[in-house]
Amino acid sequence: MNKKALSERDICSKFITPAIVQAGWDLQTQIREELTFTAGRVIVRGRMHSRGEKRRADYVLFHKKNLPLAVIEAKDNKHSLGAGMQQALAYSEALDVLFVFSSNGDGFLFHDKTGLSGKTEQELALNAFPSAQQLWQWYCQYHGFKAAAVQLVDTPYYDDGSGRSPRYYQMTAINRTVEAVARGQNRILLVMATGTGKTYTAFQIIWRLWKSKQKKRILFLADRNILVDQTKNNDFKPFGQAMTKITKRTINKSYEIYLSLYQAVTGTEEEQNIYREFSPDFFDLIVIDECHRGSAREDSAWRDILDYFKSATHIGLTATPKETKDVSNIHYFGEPIFTYSLKQGIDDGFLAPYKVVRIDFDIDLFGWRPKKGQKDKYGLEIEDRIYNQKDMDRNIVFDERTQLVAQKVTEYLQKTGEFQKTIIFCDDIDHAERMRQALVNLNPARVKESSKYIMRITGDDNEGKAELDNFINPESRYPVIATTSKLMTTGVDAQTCKLVVLDQRIQSMTEFKQIIGRGTRINEDFGKLWFTIMDFKKATELFADPAFDGDPVVIYNPKPGDDPEPPAGNDGGVGDEDPGYGATVGDGETGDDGSGLAGIDVGGGGEKKKKFFVAGHPVMMIGERVQFLGPDGKLITESLTDYTKECVQKQFATLKDFFRHWSSAERKHEIIQQLAEHGVFWDELRAEVEQKLGTQLDAFDLIAHIVYDAPPLTRRERANNVKKRNYFTKYQGAALQVLENLLEKYADTGIAHIEDIKILQLPPFNTMGTMVELVNAFGGKAGYEQALHELEQALYDDKNIA
């Protein structure tokens, strides 16, 4: 056997897998081959999207399901033993494993992060691969696990039999948390971006700790009723009869898993603090959801509960840890033991990227001053000062401004889809109600179909709150548009929300991230892979703050009269960023602010500030702009062709480089697919270029022309050039017929189609004989593939490039 001639897959099946199995690893339960662990970043251009490249490890070896120990990167035998080591090390960082291997079929290069094998790196013979027991022993020794800790870490995950498995980062978060508890750590912080499955992660942590009997009584705390109900009815459902929700301020001590609003067990009076009916050592574990909102503050009611149950292990979950002068998660919990950011989630393809449409109004940017003695529409004299963006809808209301915001939202939905789930964040309840009214009047046909097309969902309105579940439910058509202020900033798992509108002044980075999180969930079944943020109050300038870790896909600022939807390839720039919104100021998330009537206190601290209502003052839109986010996470402003140039030239600096890669590829389709994964939108690009040229181009010529300014040949011209060279003279009979028809197919449909052998089952080939008969005309499959390879060489015989 010539090992050098074997493919990477053959090396795996003939040498690497047998060596692992011989070392005692179970092929069915411990060895996972070609494990894909990311979804591939969603790349967006205009209304188009594609999936980027997925990360895939050749082998991941597990102690038990979801407890990974080792990564192996395989290469064919033309590579050296350690050629895959750096790639394997990168995978090991993502998968949080300690033992890393690279192999070309001759043996293994072993990288031991624990150092317990004696060396950091060493070569091993094929028959010297470490056993599962050996790696598990080193793993436990490295982490310092005693016998009881090993038993806890060894406790399996919950498995419902459906095949559902935690994502790789959830697995890391769960394992690190269980291991921290096993080592005796009692304050633990997990930071995971909104939409990445914090509650499911918490469930698996609690399940393993509960099943191991390490933690027998557990309290799950949240501060929104919807968070508790969603948790109880969804992820925590397997706890069954062992679980209860504390309601009506009553305590039943016969359960093991307790879910509660902190408001349900605390109050301003001592007799309302019913948590004290439990003994201080009743709970072994307390999990605090969205811990940035309560437990981070030393004088909060949450902290009173945690201090009372101080002997329990406390695990904090948050998407946005708070660190200010007076509020600190890290001061209480310590440094996060695991962080999975919004940027990572978008890069991995588990979270939806977004476009940003920024719209500016004249009165917001230039300010407005009333005339001397001017009264508002309710007869109140307007305080004489300059009102600017920070005052809008908080201290002063312009009916025309509200109308213009509603109009822009309506125009966007009418162009892109009137049944896209939309959340509009307003400054207070009154603002949310005025926005609802404006939208109702602009969408009479939709409202006639259902009065629930537009709903105000705020804390004071039972009708609106009753529709929250329907808004969240992807199967429910109504409501479509929800106006709100604070109620929907967190805990709303709106998987199909495609438009988030910000008409609210936001100064808190914590609140901003939570609001952005309303749209970051992906639901491919309902076509939700990205979303749009429409910003009317410069809130998205927080994207420029270093504390924010997920860049926007598009920032769009149209001129007056422009379409509110960002056009594909818009060339608008970012402009100068105003840094004035960067600080984290206060919590801003305690619930809906009911202020909104003229003359009531909206300032806080007892200071009376009147809100004035102005009607009849014209409001104009003065700017809008757009940018796209590339696969590398950076904003781009190029057209589709400019974007393609940048994308391709990163991989192939010159036309010669690209031609060599194209010519040497066994399948041209693999290059086409590879470029698609890096963000080349082939169909849209071809349509744009061919419309200009009025002719059909091959994939190679499309790239050569756009990226390297080479004069393009049409597919028909390339096919005719092959005929002129008398390429077919060495073939006859059925083989000649097949090749002539393949060349015609190429001219009609392109290279990718003729590379698929199944084309021989389609007309006109199926009238010439069966696939087997046609392949045998070339002496077998190897002969057919050789003839096809020669045909491709003849098609791309560009001596002036090579």
Side-chain angles (χ1 to χ4, degrees):
M1 181 189 300
N2 181 7
K3 194 184 280 191
K4 298 285 185 198
L6 296 178
S7 68
E8 181 182 299
R9 190 83 316 256
D10 287 335
I11 291 292
C12 289
S13 61
K14 296 180 187 302
F15 298 98
I16 299 176
T17 301
I20 303 169
V21 172
Q22 184 183 351
W25 294 82
D26 189 297
L27 185 61
Q28 302 303 317
T29 62
Q30 293 183 303
I31 302 172
R32 291 283 304 277
E33 290 191 60
E34 297 189 301
L35 178 65
T36 299
F37 58 91
T38 68
R41 181 190 180 94
V42 178
I43 304 165
V44 181
R45 292 289 293 177
R47 284 193 246 171
M48 306 171 288
H49 71 268
S50 65
R51 280 280 191 183
E53 188 176 3
K54 300 176 182 180
R55 297 186 77 187
R56 186 186 69 189
D58 289 328
Y59 291 86
V60 180
L61 307 184
F62 292 82
H63 167 64
K64 283 186 174 179
K65 189 176 181 181
N66 300 315
L67 285 170
L69 289 178
V71 169
I72 306 172
E73 179 61 26
K75 297 294 180 186
D76 62 37
N77 201 247
K78 296 172 187 173
H79 290 82
S80 66
L81 196 66
M85 180 52 72
Q86 292 191 146
Q87 189 176 349
L89 285 168
Y91 291 156
S92 75
E93 292 296 320
L95 297 170
D96 205 34
V97 302
L98 296 172
F99 308 109
V100 191
F101 299 85
S102 172
S103 178
N104 64 354
D106 290 338
F108 296 94
L109 180 64
F110 174 31
H111 184 104
D112 176 12
K113 295 183 182 181
T114 71
L116 294 171
S117 63
K119 289 183 179 179
T120 301
E121 282 194 3
Q122 57 183 302
E123 292 188 7
L124 302 175
L126 278 176
N127 61 3
F129 193 84
S131 68
Q133 292 79 6
Q134 178 66 78
L135 293 189
W136 178 242
Q137 180 188 332
W138 283 338
Y139 183 91
C140 294
Q141 185 180 344
Y142 177 77
H143 284 295
F145 296 144
K146 303 278 194 303
V150 172
Q151 181 184 352
L152 169 57
V153 174
D154 210 27
T155 303
Y157 284 61
Y158 173 76
D159 187 346
D160 63 3
S162 69
R164 180 184 184 184
S165 184
R167 292 171 176 168
Y168 83 93
Y169 62 86
Q170 294 171 336
M171 199 162 55
T172 298
I174 295 162
N175 292 337
R176 283 194 187 179
T177 304
V178 171
E179 289 167 5
V181 173
R183 288 193 297 268
Q185 186 172 331
N186 284 323
R187 300 289 180 269
I188 297 167
L189 180 63
L190 287 176
V191 178
M192 296 172 65
T194 300
T196 56
K198 288 192 299 294
T199 311
Y200 174 70
T201 300
F203 162 71
Q204 288 287 6
I205 290 167
I206 295 170
W207 179 269
R208 290 177 65 195
L209 295 174
W210 181 59
K211 278 296 183 180
S212 67
K213 303 192 184 303
Q214 180 79 13
K215 304 296 179 185
K216 296 177 182 177
R217 293 197 192 98
I218 294 133
L219 174 63
F220 181 89
L221 272 177
D223 75 340
R224 298 279 172 91
N225 201 49
I226 188 172
L227 290 173
V228 176
D229 289 341
Q230 282 180 354
T231 299
K232 182 174 184 289
N233 298 330
N234 298 322
D235 288 321
F236 278 37
K237 195 172 183 180
F239 287 123
Q241 298 302 310
M243 173 177 58
T244 187
K245 175 187 175 184
I246 298 175
T247 56
K248 299 180 180 177
R249 309 188 74 81
T250 57
I251 296 295
N252 184 334
K253 299 179 183 178
S254 63
Y255 292 91
E256 296 175 70
I257 313 291
Y258 293 79
L259 285 74
S260 178
L261 283 170
Y262 87 84
Q263 298 96 322
V265 293
T266 62
T268 55
E269 304 297 331
E270 182 58 33
E271 63 268 17
Q272 293 178 313
N273 291 322
I274 64 168
Y275 66 86
R276 292 182 180 272
E277 293 183 27
F278 295 108
S279 63
D281 61 354
F282 184 85
F283 291 110
D284 306 306
L285 172 66
I286 300 178
V287 177
I288 308 97
D289 195 21
E290 305 292 357
C291 66
H292 64 276
R293 283 210 299 276
S295 55
R297 186 178 291 123
E298 289 189 14
D299 60 354
S300 70
W302 294 52
R303 186 62 66 83
D304 290 341
I305 299 173
L306 300 184
D307 289 342
Y308 182 76
F309 298 113
K310 61 185 176 184
S311 63
T313 297
H314 298 167
I315 300 175
L317 306 174
T318 181
T320 50
K322 275 201 162 180
E323 295 306 315
T324 68
K325 179 181 176 183
D326 303 311
V327 180
S328 174
N329 288 117
I330 292 174
H331 175 71
Y332 183 79
F333 290 101
E335 293 288 340
I337 65 167
F338 179 72
T339 297
Y340 189 73
S341 69
L342 174 62
K343 187 175 189 303
Q344 286 173 284
I346 292 173
D347 285 344
D348 287 342
F350 295 123
L351 293 181
Y354 43 88
K355 303 177 182 181
V356 176
V357 178
R358 290 183 183 171
I359 298 177
D360 294 324
F361 298 141
D362 55 350
I363 57 171
D364 290 24
L365 298 192
F366 304 144
W368 179 84
R369 184 175 180 178
K371 297 174 183 175
K372 186 176 181 180
Q374 183 174 346
K375 295 181 179 180
D376 77 353
K377 68 180 186 179
Y378 295 116
L380 288 172
E381 185 172 328
I382 304 170
E383 180 185 343
D384 183 18
R385 66 179 180 86
I386 295 175
Y387 295 85
N388 54 32
Q389 191 170 62
K390 68 177 183 292
D391 295 301
M392 298 301 156
D393 299 299
R394 297 170 79 89
N395 302 319
I396 193 164
V397 172
F398 290 87
D399 287 353
E400 283 71 21
R401 187 189 182 285
T402 305
Q403 183 71 19
L404 191 51
V405 170
Q407 181 183 322
K408 289 298 171 186
V409 172
T410 299
E411 287 174 4
Y412 181 87
L413 291 175
Q414 286 176 346
K415 180 166 184 182
T416 61
E418 292 178 278
F419 287 91
Q420 297 176 74
K421 298 278 186 174
T422 300
I423 305 176
I424 303 178
F425 288 96
C426 303
D427 269 301
D428 54 37
I429 289 173
D430 169 68
H431 185 195
E433 172 57 23
R434 288 185 288 103
M435 188 62 66
R436 184 197 68 80
Q437 293 172 22
L439 287 162
V440 165
N441 288 326
L442 286 167
N443 294 272
R446 299 283 79 83
V447 173
K448 186 176 181 180
E449 292 169 0
S450 172
S451 62
K452 294 179 179 179
Y453 178 76
I454 302 160
M455 295 289 293
R456 171 167 63 89
I457 301 180
T458 51
D460 70 320
D461 188 272
N462 290 331
E463 289 293 323
K465 285 194 290 186
E467 291 299 324
L468 187 52
D469 285 344
N470 287 329
F471 182 82
I472 292 169
N473 183 2
E475 301 280 354
S476 179
R477 190 173 182 86
Y478 300 105
V480 175
I481 303 173
T483 68
T484 189
S485 59
K486 301 291 184 187
L487 184 66
M488 297 176 72
T489 56
T490 60
V492 178
D493 187 10
Q495 299 174 22
T496 54
C497 177
K498 290 187 176 182
L499 179 62
V500 173
V501 179
L502 305 178
D503 197 23
Q504 179 185 111
R505 185 169 183 258
I506 303 169
Q507 290 181 282
S508 162
M509 179 62 78
T510 299
E511 185 177 12
F512 180 63
K513 284 187 177 182
Q514 292 288 350
I515 288 174
I516 298 307
R518 297 315 100 212
T520 53
R521 287 166 174 83
I522 283 177
N523 189 321
E524 297 200 43
D525 292 339
F526 287 84
K528 162 66 187 304
L529 286 106
W530 52 276
F531 69 107
T532 300
I533 301 167
M534 187 174 281
D535 177 22
F536 293 94
K537 287 192 175 168
K538 299 177 79 172
T540 52
E541 289 186 349
L542 283 170
F543 287 134
D545 191 290
F548 189 82
D549 63 357
D551 296 324
V553 174
V554 175
I555 300 177
Y556 173 46
N557 279 271
K559 297 181 177 65
D562 284 354
D563 202 299
E565 190 207 6
N570 184 286
D571 204 17
V574 178
D576 295 327
E577 298 291 357
D578 178 357
Y581 290 92
T584 300
V585 183
D587 223 35
E589 301 173 329
T590 54
D592 275 295
D593 175 6
S595 63
L597 299 178
I600 84 161
D601 176 11
V602 296
E607 179 190 356
K608 292 290 181 182
K609 289 187 178 179
K610 294 184 183 298
K611 180 184 281 189
F612 304 103
F613 292 80
V614 180
H617 182 82
V619 177
M620 296 178 60
M621 190 184 87
I622 60 171
E624 210 168 331
R625 53 187 172 175
V626 63
Q627 283 188 308
F628 289 85
L629 185 70
D632 58 358
K634 294 182 180 179
L635 290 170
I636 55 174
T637 58
E638 297 90 346
S639 66
L640 195 58
T641 52
D642 289 339
Y643 174 51
T644 303
K645 274 187 183 182
E646 184 181 345
C647 182
V648 175
Q649 285 179 337
K650 282 181 181 177
Q651 300 175 73
F652 312 108
T654 66
L655 179 56
K656 280 190 177 182
D657 294 335
F658 179 63
F659 180 71
R660 285 193 206 102
H661 190 67
W662 182 269
S663 300
S664 62
E666 288 185 21
R667 291 284 183 268
K668 314 306 180 198
H669 180 66
E670 292 176 3
I671 300 178
I672 295 170
Q673 185 62 33
Q674 176 191 358
L675 290 174
E677 289 176 348
H678 284 82
V680 173
F681 291 90
W682 286 102
D683 292 341
E684 293 77 12
L685 193 66
R686 183 174 283 109
E688 182 178 310
V689 174
E690 290 181 355
Q691 184 178 10
K692 290 179 183 177
L693 297 177
T695 188
Q696 295 181 325
L697 298 185
D698 176 88
F700 172 82
D701 286 288
L702 195 61
I703 294 298
H705 178 60
I706 290 170
V707 179
Y708 307 106
D709 297 320
L713 289 174
T714 66
R715 292 197 300 264
R716 177 59 63 187
E717 285 172 331
R718 286 195 177 276
N720 289 338
N721 286 343
V722 172
K723 293 177 182 177
K724 291 174 186 175
R725 296 187 191 115
N726 296 319
Y727 163 74
F728 297 118
T729 52
K730 67 182 198 176
Y731 294 98
Q732 54 187 355
L736 177 59
Q737 266 190 295
V738 168
L739 289 172
E740 287 175 339
N741 281 287
L742 283 174
L743 192 60
E744 282 302 307
K745 282 289 184 184
Y746 163 80
D748 290 338
T749 61
I751 194 69
H753 293 86
I754 70 169
E755 289 187 327
D756 188 346
I757 197 170
K758 291 179 182 176
I759 196 173
L760 298 180
Q761 296 174 325
L762 303 175
F765 302 98
N766 59 353
T767 62
M768 298 159 52
T770 65
M771 181 190 291
V772 174
E773 290 171 340
L774 296 180
V775 168
N776 285 340
F778 294 88
K781 188 176 180 182
Y784 172 77
E785 290 182 342
Q786 177 61 32
L788 181 62
H789 179 68
E790 290 172 357
L791 176 59
E792 290 185 341
Q793 282 184 316
L795 280 168
Y796 302 106
D797 185 17
D798 289 24
K799 295 183 173 62
N800 58 325
I801 298 176

